[in-house]
Amino acid sequence: MSTCSTVSQDLDEPLSGTAPAARTWLLLEQPGPWGAKALTSSHLDPVVGRALENAAKGTGVRVALIRRPGRHADRGTGAERRVYAAHTTPGGVWLRSATVTDPRLLLGLDFAALGRGDRRTFDAVLGGGPHTGAPLALVCTNGKRDRCCALLGRPLAAELAASGVEGVWEVTHLGGHRFSPTMLVLPYGYAYGRITAADVREILHGVREARIEVDGCRGNSAWDRPGQAAELAVRSTAGVDAAEALIVVRTDVVRDGAHGGGAAPGWEVTVAHVDGRHWRVHVAQGAAQPPRPESCGASVLGTPARMEVTAVRELLVTAALAG
């Protein structure tokens, strides 16, 4: 039987505008097995996991568990764990790290401040500081959520680690199982799908030079789905690869069937370059056809929403600022 990722690839489902949305990522190392809802179904105390979930709601922070590639034996509750926090909004990107032995310390964080990009709470509560190592390559491997993540993600993470690629971690959930293997790269927050080990090396080489590879990219997690698609469209159209060059400054809902979109949702997204250039990008929401499994565990076929860029128009700066 075909997997959801095989069907998605055979149908050439587009990747753009499918990244998970989070302005800030909070990552806690948790060895051992993960359940489908890993924060409350792993060897992490489920009371702590549930409290972390609740603390993050509505703040722009996304909490996930990570572990080193390979065997997943739990080293015990007293072991040191790595913790990372990354803010992904261009112009304010940062990546911090800390080491803890008690995950309950994370409950002392000011999640609203983290979501705004204020790193002081991470440093004060956890004794964190700047991450000075390689960029983080987070490969989704949680087979309890979808078997494609285990069948495709775990071998990729293991291959990368065995070949000496630094900064590789397994992560619990990045969404879009049907795009497996999927990966998030920090600090910049761009997600990728259907990647190979060679792709990852090229992506990470670019990140070390503060460049973003567009091929295979699902979008920047700092933006909502229309913003992700619009920003990637500008990168492709204008040849922009600098990591923090573009920012989504405005997203307007298109009403009354503008641009011939009928009753389907649509957006006009304004994207700005740090050099002063602006673009207006029209994004329409379509439905992926024919129906397909959105995950291997889905009981019915679905028609997942897709972000379709129908126009990219560069604006005069004065017109852009006038809205």
Side-chain angles (χ1 to χ4, degrees):
M1 182 172 62
S2 296
T3 62
C4 66
S5 58
T6 301
V7 174
S8 177
Q9 186 159 18
D10 287 347
L11 293 174
D12 198 24
E13 186 177 352
L15 295 166
S16 176
T18 67
R23 294 189 302 273
T24 301
W25 290 82
L26 181 63
L27 309 169
L28 170 64
E29 182 179 4
Q30 176 57 58
W34 296 334
K37 295 183 178 180
L39 282 176
T40 54
S41 55
S42 69
H43 288 183
L44 177 68
D45 182 345
V47 174
V48 174
R50 191 170 297 107
L52 288 171
E53 282 184 335
N54 292 334
K57 287 179 180 178
T59 66
V61 177
R62 182 158 174 159
V63 184
L65 302 181
I66 57 174
R67 63 191 177 195
R68 294 293 188 182
R71 298 181 64 87
H72 300 141
D74 195 337
R75 297 191 300 268
T77 57
E80 289 189 339
R81 305 161 186 253
R82 299 298 297 175
V83 183
Y84 296 98
H87 188 65
T88 62
T89 302
V93 167
W94 49 258
L95 176 58
R96 315 292 281 186
S97 65
T99 302
V100 301
T101 55
D102 186 353
R104 289 176 295 182
L105 289 173
L106 275 65
L107 298 176
L109 294 169
D110 183 338
F111 281 78
L114 280 177
R116 295 192 301 267
D118 186 343
R119 60 180 178 258
R120 291 174 295 180
T121 181
F122 186 84
D123 294 350
V125 173
L126 303 181
H131 173 66
T132 57
L136 303 186
L138 309 170
V139 180
C140 188
T141 63
N142 191 353
K144 293 296 184 180
R145 289 195 70 98
D146 191 281
R147 61 176 175 156
C148 285
C149 297
L151 293 174
L152 301 175
R154 289 191 64 186
L156 174 62
E159 178 182 353
L160 291 168
S163 65
V165 177
E166 297 180 349
V168 178
W169 292 85
E170 298 184 6
V171 68
T172 47
H173 184 47
L174 297 178
H177 318 293
R178 62 193 184 279
F179 305 125
S180 295
T182 63
M183 176 182 70
L184 177 75
V185 180
L186 296 175
Y188 298 117
Y190 285 83
Y192 292 83
R194 303 185 188 129
I195 50 173
T196 66
D199 295 331
V200 174
R201 294 186 184 94
E202 185 173 355
I203 291 164
L204 293 179
H205 176 72
V207 168
R208 285 189 288 269
E209 297 180 347
R211 294 186 295 102
I212 300 302
E213 293 289 338
V214 173
D215 290 346
C217 192
R218 299 172 61 193
N220 185 339
S221 73
W223 315 127
D224 59 14
R225 293 189 63 186
Q228 293 171 13
E231 191 242 30
L232 286 179
V234 171
R235 286 191 177 277
S236 297
T237 301
V240 178
D241 66 358
E244 294 189 73
L246 298 177
I247 188 166
V248 174
V249 296
R250 180 169 174 171
T251 300
D252 298 312
V253 176
V254 177
R255 303 185 186 280
D256 299 325
H259 297 273
W267 301 267
E268 288 281 4
V269 182
T270 303
V271 179
H273 194 290
V274 291
D275 65 9
R277 287 179 290 168
H278 286 66
W279 292 263
R280 191 154 289 160
V281 183
H282 183 257
V283 182
Q285 179 175 305
Q289 296 287 353
R292 78 283 311 277
E294 296 187 53
S295 67
C296 288
S299 58
V300 296
L301 302 182
T303 54
R306 55 192 290 175
M307 299 293 108
E308 300 174 352
V309 173
T310 60
V312 179
R313 178 166 56 96
E314 186 170 355
L315 306 176
L316 294 175
V317 174
T318 52
L321 294 179

PDB file of all heavy atoms in Angstrom, residues 304-319:
ATOM      1  N   PRO A 304      -6.114  18.674   0.971  1.00  0.00           N
ATOM      2  CA  PRO A 304      -5.462  19.702   1.793  1.00  0.00           C
ATOM      3  C   PRO A 304      -5.355  21.030   1.067  1.00  0.00           C
ATOM      4  O   PRO A 304      -5.202  21.088  -0.155  1.00  0.00           O
ATOM      5  CB  PRO A 304      -4.083  19.104   2.071  1.00  0.00           C
ATOM      6  CG  PRO A 304      -3.878  18.063   1.023  1.00  0.00           C
ATOM      7  CD  PRO A 304      -5.231  17.532   0.703  1.00  0.00           C
ATOM      8  N   ALA A 305      -5.470  22.105   1.857  1.00  0.00           N
ATOM      9  CA  ALA A 305      -5.347  23.447   1.285  1.00  0.00           C
ATOM     10  C   ALA A 305      -3.944  23.657   0.736  1.00  0.00           C
ATOM     11  O   ALA A 305      -2.956  23.176   1.300  1.00  0.00           O
ATOM     12  CB  ALA A 305      -5.664  24.492   2.347  1.00  0.00           C
ATOM     13  N   ARG A 306      -3.874  24.381  -0.364  1.00  0.00           N
ATOM     14  CA  ARG A 306      -2.578  24.710  -0.958  1.00  0.00           C
ATOM     15  C   ARG A 306      -2.533  26.204  -1.243  1.00  0.00           C
ATOM     16  O   ARG A 306      -3.541  26.811  -1.612  1.00  0.00           O
ATOM     17  CB  ARG A 306      -2.331  23.906  -2.233  1.00  0.00           C
ATOM     18  CG  ARG A 306      -3.396  24.031  -3.276  1.00  0.00           C
ATOM     19  CD  ARG A 306      -3.254  22.994  -4.386  1.00  0.00           C
ATOM     20  NE  ARG A 306      -2.121  23.227  -5.245  1.00  0.00           N
ATOM     21  CZ  ARG A 306      -1.740  22.402  -6.235  1.00  0.00           C
ATOM     22  NH1 ARG A 306      -2.428  21.286  -6.447  1.00  0.00           N
ATOM     23  NH2 ARG A 306      -0.702  22.670  -6.974  1.00  0.00           N
ATOM     24  N   MET A 307      -1.364  26.788  -1.042  1.00  0.00           N
ATOM     25  CA  MET A 307      -1.165  28.209  -1.285  1.00  0.00           C
ATOM     26  C   MET A 307      -0.663  28.406  -2.715  1.00  0.00           C
ATOM     27  O   MET A 307       0.403  27.885  -3.082  1.00  0.00           O
ATOM     28  CB  MET A 307      -0.155  28.778  -0.301  1.00  0.00           C
ATOM     29  CG  MET A 307      -0.545  28.670   1.164  1.00  0.00           C
ATOM     30  SD  MET A 307      -1.969  29.700   1.626  1.00  0.00           S
ATOM     31  CE  MET A 307      -3.232  28.433   1.843  1.00  0.00           C
ATOM     32  N   GLU A 308      -1.448  29.108  -3.520  1.00  0.00           N
ATOM     33  CA  GLU A 308      -1.105  29.300  -4.931  1.00  0.00           C
ATOM     34  C   GLU A 308      -0.793  30.767  -5.186  1.00  0.00           C
ATOM     35  O   GLU A 308      -1.670  31.632  -5.065  1.00  0.00           O
ATOM     36  CB  GLU A 308      -2.262  28.830  -5.812  1.00  0.00           C
ATOM     37  CG  GLU A 308      -2.598  27.351  -5.616  1.00  0.00           C
ATOM     38  CD  GLU A 308      -3.833  26.926  -6.392  1.00  0.00           C
ATOM     39  OE1 GLU A 308      -4.512  27.811  -6.967  1.00  0.00           O
ATOM     40  OE2 GLU A 308      -4.122  25.719  -6.416  1.00  0.00           O
ATOM     41  N   VAL A 309       0.453  31.066  -5.515  1.00  0.00           N
ATOM     42  CA  VAL A 309       0.850  32.438  -5.842  1.00  0.00           C
ATOM     43  C   VAL A 309       0.462  32.716  -7.287  1.00  0.00           C
ATOM     44  O   VAL A 309       0.916  32.034  -8.211  1.00  0.00           O
ATOM     45  CB  VAL A 309       2.359  32.632  -5.638  1.00  0.00           C
ATOM     46  CG1 VAL A 309       2.793  34.006  -6.138  1.00  0.00           C
ATOM     47  CG2 VAL A 309       2.710  32.473  -4.159  1.00  0.00           C
ATOM     48  N   THR A 310      -0.401  33.719  -7.480  1.00  0.00           N
ATOM     49  CA  THR A 310      -0.888  34.026  -8.831  1.00  0.00           C
ATOM     50  C   THR A 310      -0.282  35.295  -9.410  1.00  0.00           C
ATOM     51  O   THR A 310      -0.395  35.530 -10.610  1.00  0.00           O
ATOM     52  CB  THR A 310      -2.420  34.155  -8.831  1.00  0.00           C
ATOM     53  OG1 THR A 310      -2.801  35.208  -7.938  1.00  0.00           O
ATOM     54  CG2 THR A 310      -3.070  32.848  -8.379  1.00  0.00           C
ATOM     55  N   ALA A 311       0.351  36.128  -8.563  1.00  0.00           N
ATOM     56  CA  ALA A 311       0.965  37.354  -9.079  1.00  0.00           C
ATOM     57  C   ALA A 311       2.000  37.859  -8.090  1.00  0.00           C
ATOM     58  O   ALA A 311       1.789  37.808  -6.877  1.00  0.00           O
ATOM     59  CB  ALA A 311      -0.089  38.436  -9.321  1.00  0.00           C
ATOM     60  N   VAL A 312       3.138  38.331  -8.637  1.00  0.00           N
ATOM     61  CA  VAL A 312       4.181  38.987  -7.842  1.00  0.00           C
ATOM     62  C   VAL A 312       4.492  40.307  -8.526  1.00  0.00           C
ATOM     63  O   VAL A 312       4.920  40.327  -9.682  1.00  0.00           O
ATOM     64  CB  VAL A 312       5.459  38.131  -7.753  1.00  0.00           C
ATOM     65  CG1 VAL A 312       6.539  38.860  -6.941  1.00  0.00           C
ATOM     66  CG2 VAL A 312       5.160  36.763  -7.146  1.00  0.00           C
ATOM     67  N   ARG A 313       4.253  41.416  -7.815  1.00  0.00           N
ATOM     68  CA  ARG A 313       4.401  42.742  -8.447  1.00  0.00           C
ATOM     69  C   ARG A 313       5.280  43.620  -7.554  1.00  0.00           C
ATOM     70  O   ARG A 313       4.980  43.841  -6.387  1.00  0.00           O
ATOM     71  CB  ARG A 313       3.020  43.371  -8.622  1.00  0.00           C
ATOM     72  CG  ARG A 313       3.007  44.766  -9.228  1.00  0.00           C
ATOM     73  CD  ARG A 313       1.587  45.118  -9.664  1.00  0.00           C
ATOM     74  NE  ARG A 313       0.634  45.013  -8.561  1.00  0.00           N
ATOM     75  CZ  ARG A 313       0.252  46.047  -7.814  1.00  0.00           C
ATOM     76  NH1 ARG A 313       0.752  47.261  -8.046  1.00  0.00           N
ATOM     77  NH2 ARG A 313      -0.639  45.894  -6.854  1.00  0.00           N
ATOM     78  N   GLU A 314       6.382  44.122  -8.142  1.00  0.00           N
ATOM     79  CA  GLU A 314       7.223  45.036  -7.386  1.00  0.00           C
ATOM     80  C   GLU A 314       6.595  46.412  -7.364  1.00  0.00           C
ATOM     81  O   GLU A 314       6.055  46.877  -8.386  1.00  0.00           O
ATOM     82  CB  GLU A 314       8.633  45.098  -7.985  1.00  0.00           C
ATOM     83  CG  GLU A 314       9.588  45.915  -7.145  1.00  0.00           C
ATOM     84  CD  GLU A 314      11.040  45.800  -7.590  1.00  0.00           C
ATOM     85  OE1 GLU A 314      11.339  45.013  -8.510  1.00  0.00           O
ATOM     86  OE2 GLU A 314      11.889  46.510  -7.009  1.00  0.00           O
ATOM     87  N   LEU A 315       6.660  47.060  -6.222  1.00  0.00           N
ATOM     88  CA  LEU A 315       6.023  48.351  -6.030  1.00  0.00           C
ATOM     89  C   LEU A 315       7.048  49.462  -5.927  1.00  0.00           C
ATOM     90  O   LEU A 315       8.197  49.238  -5.523  1.00  0.00           O
ATOM     91  CB  LEU A 315       5.198  48.346  -4.734  1.00  0.00           C
ATOM     92  CG  LEU A 315       4.153  47.245  -4.557  1.00  0.00           C
ATOM     93  CD1 LEU A 315       3.519  47.365  -3.181  1.00  0.00           C
ATOM     94  CD2 LEU A 315       3.086  47.343  -5.643  1.00  0.00           C
ATOM     95  N   LEU A 316       6.616  50.680  -6.258  1.00  0.00           N
ATOM     96  CA  LEU A 316       7.401  51.849  -5.894  1.00  0.00           C
ATOM     97  C   LEU A 316       7.360  51.973  -4.384  1.00  0.00           C
ATOM     98  O   LEU A 316       6.334  51.693  -3.755  1.00  0.00           O
ATOM     99  CB  LEU A 316       6.806  53.104  -6.536  1.00  0.00           C
ATOM    100  CG  LEU A 316       6.863  53.181  -8.062  1.00  0.00           C
ATOM    101  CD1 LEU A 316       6.129  54.437  -8.549  1.00  0.00           C
ATOM    102  CD2 LEU A 316       8.297  53.175  -8.557  1.00  0.00           C
ATOM    103  N   VAL A 317       8.438  52.393  -3.777  1.00  0.00           N
ATOM    104  CA  VAL A 317       8.515  52.455  -2.321  1.00  0.00           C
ATOM    105  C   VAL A 317       7.436  53.341  -1.751  1.00  0.00           C
ATOM    106  O   VAL A 317       6.775  53.012  -0.776  1.00  0.00           O
ATOM    107  CB  VAL A 317       9.899  52.943  -1.870  1.00  0.00           C
ATOM    108  CG1 VAL A 317       9.926  53.140  -0.347  1.00  0.00           C
ATOM    109  CG2 VAL A 317      10.975  51.959  -2.282  1.00  0.00           C
ATOM    110  N   THR A 318       7.169  54.473  -2.387  1.00  0.00           N
ATOM    111  CA  THR A 318       6.156  55.400  -1.865  1.00  0.00           C
ATOM    112  C   THR A 318       4.778  54.749  -1.887  1.00  0.00           C
ATOM    113  O   THR A 318       3.991  54.895  -0.958  1.00  0.00           O
ATOM    114  CB  THR A 318       6.131  56.684  -2.686  1.00  0.00           C
ATOM    115  OG1 THR A 318       5.997  56.360  -4.079  1.00  0.00           O
ATOM    116  CG2 THR A 318       7.415  57.472  -2.464  1.00  0.00           C
ATOM    117  N   ALA A 319       4.490  54.014  -2.970  1.00  0.00           N
ATOM    118  CA  ALA A 319       3.190  53.348  -3.073  1.00  0.00           C
ATOM    119  C   ALA A 319       3.069  52.254  -2.029  1.00  0.00           C
ATOM    120  O   ALA A 319       2.029  52.067  -1.399  1.00  0.00           O
ATOM    121  CB  ALA A 319       3.007  52.771  -4.472  1.00  0.00           C
TER     122      ALA A 319
END
